[in-house]
Amino acid sequence: MFVSCIAPRIVGVISFSIILTYETYKSVVVRSWPLGIVYRLMQLIIISYFVGYVFLYERAYQVADTATESSVITKVKGFGRLNNAVMDVADYIYPPQGEGVFSIITKIIKTDNQFQGRCSEVTHLEQFTHVFSQCIITGACNTSAGYCEIEGWCPAEDDKVDIKPMPEFVNFTIYIKNTIRFPRFNVSRENFPSTKSIKNCTYDKNTDPFCPIFRVGYILDETQQNVTLLGGEIGINIEWRCNLDHNVNSCVPTYSFSKLDAPFQNASLSKGYNFRFAKYYKTEDGTDYRCLHKAFAVRFDVMVTGIARKFSLIPTVINVIAAVTSVGMGTVLCDLILLHCSKGAQYYKEKKFEEVSEEQIHESLTLKPGSQLSIRRGNSSCNDSGAVSLSTNC
Amino acid sequence: MFVSCIAPRIVGVISFSIILTYETYKSVVVRSWPLGIVYRLMQLIIISYFVGYVFLYERAYQVADTATESSVITKVKGFGRLNNAVMDVADYIYPPQGEGVFSIITKIIKTDNQFQGRCSEVTHLEQFTHVFSQCIITGACNTSAGYCEIEGWCPAEDDKVDIKPMPEFVNFTIYIKNTIRFPRFNVSRENFPSTKSIKNCTYDKNTDPFCPIFRVGYILDETQQNVTLLGGEIGINIEWRCNLDHNVNSCVPTYSFSKLDAPFQNASLSKGYNFRFAKYYKTEDGTDYRCLHKAFAVRFDVMVTGIARKFSLIPTVINVIAAVTSVGMGTVLCDLILLHCSKGAQYYKEKKFEEVSEEQIHESLTLKPGSQLSIRRGNSSCNDSGAVSLSTNC
Amino acid sequence: MFVSCIAPRIVGVISFSIILTYETYKSVVVRSWPLGIVYRLMQLIIISYFVGYVFLYERAYQVADTATESSVITKVKGFGRLNNAVMDVADYIYPPQGEGVFSIITKIIKTDNQFQGRCSEVTHLEQFTHVFSQCIITGACNTSAGYCEIEGWCPAEDDKVDIKPMPEFVNFTIYIKNTIRFPRFNVSRENFPSTKSIKNCTYDKNTDPFCPIFRVGYILDETQQNVTLLGGEIGINIEWRCNLDHNVNSCVPTYSFSKLDAPFQNASLSKGYNFRFAKYYKTEDGTDYRCLHKAFAVRFDVMVTGIARKFSLIPTVINVIAAVTSVGMGTVLCDLILLHCSKGAQYYKEKKFEEVSEEQIHESLTLKPGSQLSIRRGNSSCNDSGAVSLSTNC
């Protein structure tokens, strides 16, 4: 019933009177300077907030793209001395392919000529109580000496050896090739200053902030950590913060460095960073043997984050509307003052509110039969043509 | 012309009358309890929706940061028996560096002593019709027996061998070091309960949900899949869901496990997960030979997702404005009822709408010369000083 | 004082009169067809903008999830000839585990039988002036010939050798298994058409756009780059753009290919893509020697981006409110025209604005003592019961 009452009227409103009338709010203007000051001050605060904070500071007129596509290729250079041998990239980089996450080995504890078999290993007694056995123990134990016979690659590793880490490590250089793409705006950028030769440059945050070649020692100094001895994990953050409303050439990366395992500094377990790998050999008669490497390394993690911003209509419109609507909200506070706390509150009320009560309607319906008739006519005309404006006799 | 008419008036409005007047909407108050109930009910629904759903449930007063920086280091422990040899981490982890994506080999089919040369391989006839040759065939074929001579590393691999996967695999433990940073809020967290020793803990979602050491068997049980035989891919999801309005120590990870290749279960091609690699040797006279490994492995993929939320003014203000504006929208429905479906509709219309028609304006202009004059004066004064308020004689 | 004045009134307003009265704006309806046309036209523009652009084009009624979890497994097939040997996957893929980022080696410069020791290397003089020494030089130099003795793996690599890249490379196939999950909507998808056998298919953007097996030559043709000689980096973009309001089966990936190092084409440093790795051997007497490989490779980077959209109440409500509010903003422009630029401006002003001045209030307060009393009563009644409606005598 409600729908059948409303629907034709909506159609009527749209079809006929829309081009004929203009509807605006009736306003009450109060000439009172204290109230005016409060009112305008509130509007000023609201406008300042939107202009200053929302639009200028938070740039709410732009959309952001953080879902970036990025590729990183790294290339390390440098020679170092370890265990009386000269190490080059093929020896100390894991993995060798120049990925964004790579480890530079600074120290290796080698256990050479390991064959499958049985041997004794220093085994701490508490390990026996551990719920998961961490090595295969044959059962022949000399508990007083703390030795147990184990089965596996023999001789067992003895990682208590004191080995000096590679001192030349700090002079290695890392060349990082990074490209980034913001798919939302279809913009690609590379970390490579097109105007400049990078052949002999070295990164320095003050003098050469766009050079993509980094000295390891510089990175370690920046993170203020000594990771050479036990290994560690260093983050190389490449941050792209681009305002694409400006020239795209001003979209350049900034580099920063962080020690990623810093929160683990106080952990009793696993200080530093190391991993084990083996090189496999065969004897003349075809028996396998291996050389186990416990490598202490510094892992570099090139992490690329990007955010690009560009003007967009939708957030702009929504925020402008929010701003304009908010300006009108100054009236809420002022109305409270005006209608409750001002001297002439009662007078204002009479001016602002026009009252209509049920009794008045009752009166108007019974006393003015013409009006009553018009309603009947209105109802029928709605069902007939639907062409009734908001302010006609319908 | 339009601009020249409007511009000085806007200036005038701003410069003079702004501190003097306060403008508010004139309202019509209808004392009718059925309409009042509908009106207040609608306002209640709208307010409930915003308070309950938008603010409390969806937390629209916060901004979220999902663009996280995260680093993962893994360390596997455990010994296993495969092909009559004891395997340790250096033997079964690929790659060895402790990355977030790593494979634990559970079964290896070895083809030892492969030399470059020619040999025969079981070749199915349909392979000949395949558009891309998958091996280099010399052309000497025994089609009746299904054998063809191939060129390459000989003897060819025979992967039909039945080999038992490493049974100790389920007792291996994986230690995961994970740090996460929310750059928007500059908050870093690690998956390491600072208040607790993790030396001997093992993850259990009920009894020890924050321990970062996982038993492989537990993970397999959680994913309810048997991947040991043919290999598979397991996702270890670390989810950070942080409300930074609370204490930052309550920002802890939750772990979950999923079988990533589950959608491929029914695929005819490539069940499970395996890959081939080789170990290279040299004979005494310098000839290269290799041992080809077809490794069936379980790949673990540590995936870190994070979302941090924090109170922010902009979404709060926008949503509060949306809420307040929406409350006012109750009038749209009520006006429809009031003006079209109520008994006193005609009377209400007279009260709500004040009509101004072209004829009235014409009359007012011809009958009241003072008013006409005032408009002329108004126009000129706009051009003169611009100091005209909205409600003065301009 | 202000709070103590307002607070009880607000309570009063809520507790008593809320169900009794309905408040609506009093409107002025102007029957003028030029103004009506402008007014309706503006409303039409605003509605068209919201319906057409905001809702249909930008789909502002949906929320998006771009923080996807994705896993990629790759498998390469094919045999090639390089340096008079047949290469298979175990020989040319780095790393071997089938990761989303992998390199196919197309050319290898081998430096065999390297032992630790001293030898001479072609050394360019400018290298001596470089701030970081890139190799360990013993000091014995023959500067006229440009040779210097170095210490390390000898003989030194001579990468000026001309070697033909593997021609069969273009016929290799890459099989990509990709699963994606949108955690916000908890939807998982795989790049595997469930309705179709993929056993013998090959990707072609026109004839077979959903086949996950790619011929390398096809990818190179698409990127229109010759990377076989010096190596390079190819991006395989898998893009998931899903409208989850539709059938989930229509959520399928699209593939595209790009040459990632294209921006570096003109760089003087490091054209193409290559890396060094070594295979290690032992002589009979246990001396280590190695075979250094300088591998030119094409690196494939499978990059998965995903965005899923689904209807959500909050953005819909906010945008509908923005739309409805915006429609009302048509009055701002029309009021400017009406009140300043129309013939009957003065008359309209009288109708739109009802003025209340301080003098009138003063008059009303001095001349009508009943009104003044009512205010005093109102104040006291506020403190007494708080049960005062907006339009009663308070």
Side-chain angles (χ1 to χ4, degrees), chain A residues 56-78:
Chain A
L56 294 185
Y57 181 74
E58 290 272 353
R59 298 208 219 127
Y61 56 91
Q62 294 180 320
V63 284
D65 185 5
T66 56
T68 56
E69 291 167 16
S70 168
S71 94
V72 170
I73 293 182
T74 57
K75 196 153 201 172
V76 178
K77 284 196 175 172

Side-chain angles (χ1 to χ4, degrees), chain B residues 5 40 134 273 280 361 394, chain C residues 18 79 91 97 341 348-349:
Chain B
C5 161
R40 300 304 171 183
Q134 292 300 321
Y273 171 59
Y280 295 87
I361 298 161
C394 173
Chain C
I18 45 164
F79 287 77
D91 299 320
Q97 309 99 279
C341 300
Y348 288 127
K349 259 174 218 167

Side-chain angles (χ1 to χ4, degrees), chain A residues 143-165:
Chain A
T143 45
S144 63
Y147 279 79
C148 271
E149 193 187 59
I150 60 158
E151 195 180 342
W153 294 100
C154 282
E157 180 190 80
D158 175 17
D159 58 2
K160 303 285 172 294
V161 188
D162 189 30
I163 288 177
K164 288 238 156 9

Side-chain angles (χ1 to χ4, degrees), chain B residues 245-282:
Chain B
D245 294 334
H246 296 170
N247 189 333
V248 77
N249 284 328
S250 64
C251 174
V252 290
T254 54
Y255 302 94
S256 62
F257 313 98
S258 54
K259 190 164 190 296
L260 287 178
D261 52 354
F264 293 99
Q265 286 291 80
N266 302 319
S268 53
L269 200 64
S270 69
K271 272 211 180 66
Y273 171 59
N274 61 72
F275 58 89
R276 283 182 181 82
F277 66 97
K279 288 173 183 165
Y280 295 87
Y281 308 98
K282 268 184 197 295

